[in-house]
Amino acid sequence: MRLDFTGQTVVVTGATRGIGKQIADDFAALGATLVLTATSPEAVEALNAEGDGRRRWHAVDFTDPSSAAAFADALEGMARIDVCVNNAGINRINPVDETRLEDWNDVVAVNLTGPMLVTRAVSRVMKRAGYGRIVNIGSIFGSVSREKRSVYSTTKFGIRGLTVASSNDLARHGILVNSVSPGFVLTDLTRRILSEAERDELARQVPAGRLARPEDISPAVLFLCSGLNTYITGQDMVVDGGFLNV
């Protein structure tokens, strides 16, 4: 048995860097045709100009209701969508008593409202075919939390609710909905916000002895989105090197 997405149309939000880029690259390597999002219109124009025809980029700002709605409408108008990965996400770190309403609204819009709108749109297309796979990218902060993570954790706990509830609605239509929750992942953002010493200290807290790489997360997503998954739905796959177990 092997993974093969040849002939399938796959949607991945937030695909320009980190986990999202890895997921998109892996789907492309396995034959998929991709519908991808980025926030910068200039970047999208350049990406579409240099593309190979199997990746179509859309400029989407999920903090802008009209932009998010336009993308959802575009998805709903597609003839076929086999797979959707709701990956786009942002974080704003502050103690709860210093949280700004603007930050709350932005993080909820990108991390929770965006996945709901995209799920609603793609599921309508998938129901017509009687087949679909949806994976929401969660976080270990949807199970535990830390200081200054009240807004982010709220959205990631919410993603679990969206996953479970929508899986109940869609399973009878051949659509399986799951989430993948990464632990601490070594991305460009992690390198910017944490010093090398801080990264080393964090890695020592992980039983696997290191931070995750984006390529550690992508295989879990690929499996859940593949035809090898025929009966798993409403579940959360934690990919954290054992961190939640200690």
Side-chain angles (χ1 to χ4, degrees), residues 91-92 94 99-100 103-105 107-108 111 148-156:
N91 193 3
R92 306 278 173 81
N94 265 316
T99 295
R100 301 184 306 163
D103 290 338
W104 171 273
N105 289 339
V107 177
V108 170
N111 294 8
K148 302 180 181 180
R149 301 301 197 279
S150 60
V151 181
Y152 185 75
S153 280
T154 295
T155 61
K156 293 306 181 179

Side-chain angles (χ1 to χ4, degrees), residues 123-133 166-176:
S123 64
R124 289 171 177 171
V125 179
M126 291 172 174
K127 283 173 71 174
R128 296 198 292 264
Y131 178 89
R133 299 290 184 267
S166 57
S167 74
N168 292 335
D169 292 336
L170 298 173
R172 71 193 66 188
H173 301 286
I175 304 167
L176 306 182

Side-chain angles (χ1 to χ4, degrees), residues 71-161:
F71 180 60
D73 287 345
L75 292 174
E76 198 168 337
M78 293 179 61
R80 175 176 179 169
I81 299 173
D82 300 281
V83 171
C84 176
V85 181
N86 285 305
N87 169 75
I90 61 173
N91 193 3
R92 306 278 173 81
I93 298 175
N94 265 316
V96 65
D97 56 308
E98 297 178 17
T99 295
R100 301 184 306 163
L101 183 58
E102 176 186 357
D103 290 338
W104 171 273
N105 289 339
D106 285 350
V107 177
V108 170
V110 176
N111 294 8
L112 197 51
T113 305
M116 182 278 292
L117 292 172
V118 171
T119 296
R120 185 176 68 178
V122 301
S123 64
R124 289 171 177 171
V125 179
M126 291 172 174
K127 283 173 71 174
R128 296 198 292 264
Y131 178 89
R133 299 290 184 267
I134 300 171
V135 168
N136 298 314
I137 302 301
S139 168
I140 57 171
F141 288 136
S143 299
V144 297
S145 195
R146 285 188 168 187
E147 292 180 345
K148 302 180 181 180
R149 301 301 197 279
S150 60
V151 181
Y152 185 75
S153 280
T154 295
T155 61
K156 293 306 181 179
F157 272 82
I159 278 292
R160 286 293 304 126

Side-chain angles (χ1 to χ4, degrees), residues 203-219:
R204 282 192 286 271
Q205 299 176 44
V206 179
R210 64 175 176 85
L211 304 187
R213 301 178 297 262
E215 53 266 39
D216 293 316
I217 311 303
S218 182

